[in-house]
Amino acid sequence: MKNVSNKLIMSVSRLLFALYLILLAYFLFFSEHYGRTIISGEYRYNLTPFKEVKRFIEYRNIIGPEGFIVNIFGNILAFAPFGFVLPIISPDNRKLLNITLLSLEFSLTIELLQLIFKVGIFDVDDLMMNTLGGFLGGVCFILARKLLRSIRRGKR
């Protein structure tokens, strides 16, 4: 019975992870709402840490609540599922350091693709926020796993 439920959890997790990646790709590369259909003729990038974060905080009244929240917290929230689901579908990557480094690598890949295809902006702040989101997702996975183990021990 336990083996069947583990296989079901793994299958559902893989499906959810694939759907997550598709949605993430849509919002990062194709969403009209975020201006992703506009392909710039030039490379756009920010290599100064916290430059965009400071700008969004400073001009939050002009940008509006949605722009502020999406840019400050959106990257963190967008990558938290990566850090949470990755260790479920890849048991070899259940250490927080692995989760964090894979989040960094995945984010760097996305940022480089945005730079190469001139869609969006390569932003070191996004890289940091995305990695933080993956890290926090990993922390949630580890805490949920510990909680689940303690609940199982209590039932024995």
PDB file of all heavy atoms in Angstrom, residues 128-152:
ATOM      1  N   MET A 128      18.835  36.764  -7.768  1.00  0.00           N
ATOM      2  CA  MET A 128      18.888  36.638  -6.306  1.00  0.00           C
ATOM      3  C   MET A 128      17.513  36.286  -5.730  1.00  0.00           C
ATOM      4  O   MET A 128      17.404  35.412  -4.866  1.00  0.00           O
ATOM      5  CB  MET A 128      19.411  37.932  -5.678  1.00  0.00           C
ATOM      6  CG  MET A 128      20.864  38.192  -5.987  1.00  0.00           C
ATOM      7  SD  MET A 128      21.576  39.634  -5.152  1.00  0.00           S
ATOM      8  CE  MET A 128      20.563  40.974  -5.736  1.00  0.00           C
ATOM      9  N   MET A 129      16.475  36.963  -6.208  1.00  0.00           N
ATOM     10  CA  MET A 129      15.117  36.722  -5.692  1.00  0.00           C
ATOM     11  C   MET A 129      14.637  35.315  -6.055  1.00  0.00           C
ATOM     12  O   MET A 129      14.011  34.634  -5.239  1.00  0.00           O
ATOM     13  CB  MET A 129      14.137  37.753  -6.243  1.00  0.00           C
ATOM     14  CG  MET A 129      14.455  39.155  -5.847  1.00  0.00           C
ATOM     15  SD  MET A 129      14.126  39.414  -4.107  1.00  0.00           S
ATOM     16  CE  MET A 129      13.623  41.094  -4.166  1.00  0.00           C
ATOM     17  N   ASN A 130      14.906  34.875  -7.290  1.00  0.00           N
ATOM     18  CA  ASN A 130      14.513  33.533  -7.709  1.00  0.00           C
ATOM     19  C   ASN A 130      15.213  32.478  -6.862  1.00  0.00           C
ATOM     20  O   ASN A 130      14.596  31.497  -6.432  1.00  0.00           O
ATOM     21  CB  ASN A 130      14.856  33.309  -9.181  1.00  0.00           C
ATOM     22  CG  ASN A 130      14.081  34.196 -10.118  1.00  0.00           C
ATOM     23  OD1 ASN A 130      13.090  34.810  -9.759  1.00  0.00           O
ATOM     24  ND2 ASN A 130      14.547  34.279 -11.354  1.00  0.00           N
ATOM     25  N   THR A 131      16.496  32.676  -6.625  1.00  0.00           N
ATOM     26  CA  THR A 131      17.260  31.728  -5.814  1.00  0.00           C
ATOM     27  C   THR A 131      16.719  31.705  -4.384  1.00  0.00           C
ATOM     28  O   THR A 131      16.580  30.633  -3.784  1.00  0.00           O
ATOM     29  CB  THR A 131      18.759  32.091  -5.831  1.00  0.00           C
ATOM     30  OG1 THR A 131      19.207  32.115  -7.188  1.00  0.00           O
ATOM     31  CG2 THR A 131      19.578  31.093  -5.049  1.00  0.00           C
ATOM     32  N   LEU A 132      16.394  32.867  -3.855  1.00  0.00           N
ATOM     33  CA  LEU A 132      15.788  32.938  -2.523  1.00  0.00           C
ATOM     34  C   LEU A 132      14.471  32.172  -2.498  1.00  0.00           C
ATOM     35  O   LEU A 132      14.185  31.444  -1.547  1.00  0.00           O
ATOM     36  CB  LEU A 132      15.577  34.395  -2.103  1.00  0.00           C
ATOM     37  CG  LEU A 132      14.878  34.625  -0.764  1.00  0.00           C
ATOM     38  CD1 LEU A 132      15.674  34.018   0.385  1.00  0.00           C
ATOM     39  CD2 LEU A 132      14.658  36.122  -0.540  1.00  0.00           C
ATOM     40  N   GLY A 133      13.672  32.323  -3.554  1.00  0.00           N
ATOM     41  CA  GLY A 133      12.409  31.591  -3.633  1.00  0.00           C
ATOM     42  C   GLY A 133      12.626  30.088  -3.643  1.00  0.00           C
ATOM     43  O   GLY A 133      11.933  29.350  -2.936  1.00  0.00           O
ATOM     44  N   GLY A 134      13.597  29.618  -4.424  1.00  0.00           N
ATOM     45  CA  GLY A 134      13.912  28.186  -4.442  1.00  0.00           C
ATOM     46  C   GLY A 134      14.387  27.702  -3.082  1.00  0.00           C
ATOM     47  O   GLY A 134      14.000  26.626  -2.612  1.00  0.00           O
ATOM     48  N   PHE A 135      15.215  28.521  -2.432  1.00  0.00           N
ATOM     49  CA  PHE A 135      15.696  28.195  -1.085  1.00  0.00           C
ATOM     50  C   PHE A 135      14.529  28.073  -0.103  1.00  0.00           C
ATOM     51  O   PHE A 135      14.439  27.108   0.655  1.00  0.00           O
ATOM     52  CB  PHE A 135      16.681  29.280  -0.619  1.00  0.00           C
ATOM     53  CG  PHE A 135      17.057  29.200   0.827  1.00  0.00           C
ATOM     54  CD1 PHE A 135      18.028  28.311   1.256  1.00  0.00           C
ATOM     55  CD2 PHE A 135      16.437  30.012   1.769  1.00  0.00           C
ATOM     56  CE1 PHE A 135      18.379  28.230   2.600  1.00  0.00           C
ATOM     57  CE2 PHE A 135      16.779  29.944   3.108  1.00  0.00           C
ATOM     58  CZ  PHE A 135      17.751  29.043   3.533  1.00  0.00           C
ATOM     59  N   LEU A 136      13.619  29.057  -0.127  1.00  0.00           N
ATOM     60  CA  LEU A 136      12.468  29.028   0.785  1.00  0.00           C
ATOM     61  C   LEU A 136      11.547  27.849   0.489  1.00  0.00           C
ATOM     62  O   LEU A 136      10.999  27.236   1.412  1.00  0.00           O
ATOM     63  CB  LEU A 136      11.700  30.353   0.717  1.00  0.00           C
ATOM     64  CG  LEU A 136      12.450  31.569   1.258  1.00  0.00           C
ATOM     65  CD1 LEU A 136      11.656  32.838   1.017  1.00  0.00           C
ATOM     66  CD2 LEU A 136      12.773  31.389   2.736  1.00  0.00           C
ATOM     67  N   GLY A 137      11.391  27.513  -0.802  1.00  0.00           N
ATOM     68  CA  GLY A 137      10.627  26.319  -1.156  1.00  0.00           C
ATOM     69  C   GLY A 137      11.276  25.066  -0.595  1.00  0.00           C
ATOM     70  O   GLY A 137      10.602  24.164  -0.097  1.00  0.00           O
ATOM     71  N   GLY A 138      12.613  25.012  -0.648  1.00  0.00           N
ATOM     72  CA  GLY A 138      13.348  23.888  -0.075  1.00  0.00           C
ATOM     73  C   GLY A 138      13.182  23.798   1.431  1.00  0.00           C
ATOM     74  O   GLY A 138      13.026  22.712   1.992  1.00  0.00           O
ATOM     75  N   VAL A 139      13.202  24.949   2.089  1.00  0.00           N
ATOM     76  CA  VAL A 139      12.985  24.985   3.544  1.00  0.00           C
ATOM     77  C   VAL A 139      11.581  24.446   3.863  1.00  0.00           C
ATOM     78  O   VAL A 139      11.410  23.639   4.790  1.00  0.00           O
ATOM     79  CB  VAL A 139      13.173  26.411   4.112  1.00  0.00           C
ATOM     80  CG1 VAL A 139      12.669  26.515   5.539  1.00  0.00           C
ATOM     81  CG2 VAL A 139      14.634  26.831   4.019  1.00  0.00           C
ATOM     82  N   CYS A 140      10.582  24.865   3.088  1.00  0.00           N
ATOM     83  CA  CYS A 140       9.212  24.380   3.295  1.00  0.00           C
ATOM     84  C   CYS A 140       9.135  22.868   3.075  1.00  0.00           C
ATOM     85  O   CYS A 140       8.452  22.161   3.827  1.00  0.00           O
ATOM     86  CB  CYS A 140       8.237  25.091   2.363  1.00  0.00           C
ATOM     87  SG  CYS A 140       7.969  26.816   2.800  1.00  0.00           S
ATOM     88  N   PHE A 141       9.839  22.366   2.057  1.00  0.00           N
ATOM     89  CA  PHE A 141       9.870  20.918   1.819  1.00  0.00           C
ATOM     90  C   PHE A 141      10.456  20.190   3.025  1.00  0.00           C
ATOM     91  O   PHE A 141       9.883  19.206   3.508  1.00  0.00           O
ATOM     92  CB  PHE A 141      10.690  20.565   0.567  1.00  0.00           C
ATOM     93  CG  PHE A 141      10.993  19.095   0.469  1.00  0.00           C
ATOM     94  CD1 PHE A 141      10.027  18.214   0.014  1.00  0.00           C
ATOM     95  CD2 PHE A 141      12.218  18.594   0.865  1.00  0.00           C
ATOM     96  CE1 PHE A 141      10.282  16.849  -0.044  1.00  0.00           C
ATOM     97  CE2 PHE A 141      12.487  17.240   0.813  1.00  0.00           C
ATOM     98  CZ  PHE A 141      11.515  16.366   0.355  1.00  0.00           C
ATOM     99  N   ILE A 142      11.592  20.661   3.519  1.00  0.00           N
ATOM    100  CA  ILE A 142      12.253  20.006   4.655  1.00  0.00           C
ATOM    101  C   ILE A 142      11.364  20.042   5.889  1.00  0.00           C
ATOM    102  O   ILE A 142      11.214  19.034   6.594  1.00  0.00           O
ATOM    103  CB  ILE A 142      13.626  20.659   4.915  1.00  0.00           C
ATOM    104  CG1 ILE A 142      14.580  20.307   3.766  1.00  0.00           C
ATOM    105  CG2 ILE A 142      14.199  20.237   6.260  1.00  0.00           C
ATOM    106  CD1 ILE A 142      15.853  21.119   3.729  1.00  0.00           C
ATOM    107  N   LEU A 143      10.724  21.175   6.151  1.00  0.00           N
ATOM    108  CA  LEU A 143       9.825  21.284   7.307  1.00  0.00           C
ATOM    109  C   LEU A 143       8.605  20.380   7.141  1.00  0.00           C
ATOM    110  O   LEU A 143       8.193  19.707   8.102  1.00  0.00           O
ATOM    111  CB  LEU A 143       9.393  22.737   7.517  1.00  0.00           C
ATOM    112  CG  LEU A 143      10.488  23.703   7.959  1.00  0.00           C
ATOM    113  CD1 LEU A 143       9.956  25.129   8.001  1.00  0.00           C
ATOM    114  CD2 LEU A 143      11.076  23.292   9.301  1.00  0.00           C
ATOM    115  N   ALA A 144       8.024  20.347   5.947  1.00  0.00           N
ATOM    116  CA  ALA A 144       6.859  19.491   5.697  1.00  0.00           C
ATOM    117  C   ALA A 144       7.233  18.023   5.842  1.00  0.00           C
ATOM    118  O   ALA A 144       6.465  17.224   6.403  1.00  0.00           O
ATOM    119  CB  ALA A 144       6.302  19.758   4.303  1.00  0.00           C
ATOM    120  N   ARG A 145       8.412  17.668   5.385  1.00  0.00           N
ATOM    121  CA  ARG A 145       8.872  16.275   5.495  1.00  0.00           C
ATOM    122  C   ARG A 145       9.060  15.881   6.957  1.00  0.00           C
ATOM    123  O   ARG A 145       8.678  14.788   7.368  1.00  0.00           O
ATOM    124  CB  ARG A 145      10.175  16.133   4.715  1.00  0.00           C
ATOM    125  CG  ARG A 145      10.621  14.718   4.549  1.00  0.00           C
ATOM    126  CD  ARG A 145      11.746  14.660   3.526  1.00  0.00           C
ATOM    127  NE  ARG A 145      12.167  13.293   3.359  1.00  0.00           N
ATOM    128  CZ  ARG A 145      13.409  12.912   3.272  1.00  0.00           C
ATOM    129  NH1 ARG A 145      14.380  13.801   3.301  1.00  0.00           N
ATOM    130  NH2 ARG A 145      13.723  11.647   3.124  1.00  0.00           N
ATOM    131  N   LYS A 146       9.660  16.772   7.755  1.00  0.00           N
ATOM    132  CA  LYS A 146       9.835  16.498   9.186  1.00  0.00           C
ATOM    133  C   LYS A 146       8.486  16.375   9.884  1.00  0.00           C
ATOM    134  O   LYS A 146       8.280  15.492  10.723  1.00  0.00           O
ATOM    135  CB  LYS A 146      10.680  17.583   9.843  1.00  0.00           C
ATOM    136  CG  LYS A 146      12.136  17.487   9.515  1.00  0.00           C
ATOM    137  CD  LYS A 146      12.951  18.545  10.234  1.00  0.00           C
ATOM    138  CE  LYS A 146      14.406  18.396   9.856  1.00  0.00           C
ATOM    139  NZ  LYS A 146      15.276  19.297  10.595  1.00  0.00           N
ATOM    140  N   LEU A 147       7.551  17.266   9.540  1.00  0.00           N
ATOM    141  CA  LEU A 147       6.217  17.218  10.129  1.00  0.00           C
ATOM    142  C   LEU A 147       5.520  15.908   9.771  1.00  0.00           C
ATOM    143  O   LEU A 147       4.925  15.257  10.636  1.00  0.00           O
ATOM    144  CB  LEU A 147       5.394  18.414   9.655  1.00  0.00           C
ATOM    145  CG  LEU A 147       3.958  18.498  10.164  1.00  0.00           C
ATOM    146  CD1 LEU A 147       3.931  18.669  11.678  1.00  0.00           C
ATOM    147  CD2 LEU A 147       3.233  19.646   9.489  1.00  0.00           C
ATOM    148  N   LEU A 148       5.596  15.528   8.512  1.00  0.00           N
ATOM    149  CA  LEU A 148       4.980  14.281   8.063  1.00  0.00           C
ATOM    150  C   LEU A 148       5.587  13.076   8.771  1.00  0.00           C
ATOM    151  O   LEU A 148       4.861  12.161   9.192  1.00  0.00           O
ATOM    152  CB  LEU A 148       5.135  14.140   6.545  1.00  0.00           C
ATOM    153  CG  LEU A 148       4.360  13.025   5.875  1.00  0.00           C
ATOM    154  CD1 LEU A 148       2.858  13.187   6.097  1.00  0.00           C
ATOM    155  CD2 LEU A 148       4.673  13.001   4.386  1.00  0.00           C
ATOM    156  N   ARG A 149       6.894  13.064   8.945  1.00  0.00           N
ATOM    157  CA  ARG A 149       7.557  11.966   9.664  1.00  0.00           C
ATOM    158  C   ARG A 149       7.109  11.903  11.119  1.00  0.00           C
ATOM    159  O   ARG A 149       6.887  10.819  11.659  1.00  0.00           O
ATOM    160  CB  ARG A 149       9.068  12.121   9.587  1.00  0.00           C
ATOM    161  CG  ARG A 149       9.643  11.711   8.266  1.00  0.00           C
ATOM    162  CD  ARG A 149      11.143  11.834   8.282  1.00  0.00           C
ATOM    163  NE  ARG A 149      11.708  11.310   7.050  1.00  0.00           N
ATOM    164  CZ  ARG A 149      12.963  11.409   6.720  1.00  0.00           C
ATOM    165  NH1 ARG A 149      13.822  12.021   7.519  1.00  0.00           N
ATOM    166  NH2 ARG A 149      13.400  10.914   5.583  1.00  0.00           N
ATOM    167  N   SER A 150       6.996  13.058  11.768  1.00  0.00           N
ATOM    168  CA  SER A 150       6.578  13.047  13.175  1.00  0.00           C
ATOM    169  C   SER A 150       5.125  12.607  13.312  1.00  0.00           C
ATOM    170  O   SER A 150       4.773  11.920  14.282  1.00  0.00           O
ATOM    171  CB  SER A 150       6.799  14.412  13.818  1.00  0.00           C
ATOM    172  OG  SER A 150       5.916  15.365  13.300  1.00  0.00           O
ATOM    173  N   ILE A 151       4.285  12.956  12.343  1.00  0.00           N
ATOM    174  CA  ILE A 151       2.889  12.504  12.363  1.00  0.00           C
ATOM    175  C   ILE A 151       2.831  10.988  12.183  1.00  0.00           C
ATOM    176  O   ILE A 151       2.095  10.300  12.899  1.00  0.00           O
ATOM    177  CB  ILE A 151       2.061  13.223  11.269  1.00  0.00           C
ATOM    178  CG1 ILE A 151       1.880  14.695  11.655  1.00  0.00           C
ATOM    179  CG2 ILE A 151       0.717  12.546  11.054  1.00  0.00           C
ATOM    180  CD1 ILE A 151       1.293  15.551  10.548  1.00  0.00           C
ATOM    181  N   ARG A 152       3.634  10.467  11.259  1.00  0.00           N
ATOM    182  CA  ARG A 152       3.681   9.007  11.033  1.00  0.00           C
ATOM    183  C   ARG A 152       4.185   8.268  12.253  1.00  0.00           C
ATOM    184  O   ARG A 152       3.697   7.203  12.584  1.00  0.00           O
ATOM    185  CB  ARG A 152       4.549   8.686   9.808  1.00  0.00           C
ATOM    186  CG  ARG A 152       3.875   9.020   8.511  1.00  0.00           C
ATOM    187  CD  ARG A 152       4.761   8.658   7.340  1.00  0.00           C
ATOM    188  NE  ARG A 152       4.125   8.968   6.063  1.00  0.00           N
ATOM    189  CZ  ARG A 152       4.746   9.066   4.926  1.00  0.00           C
ATOM    190  NH1 ARG A 152       6.049   8.865   4.869  1.00  0.00           N
ATOM    191  NH2 ARG A 152       4.085   9.343   3.831  1.00  0.00           N
TER     192      ARG A 152
END
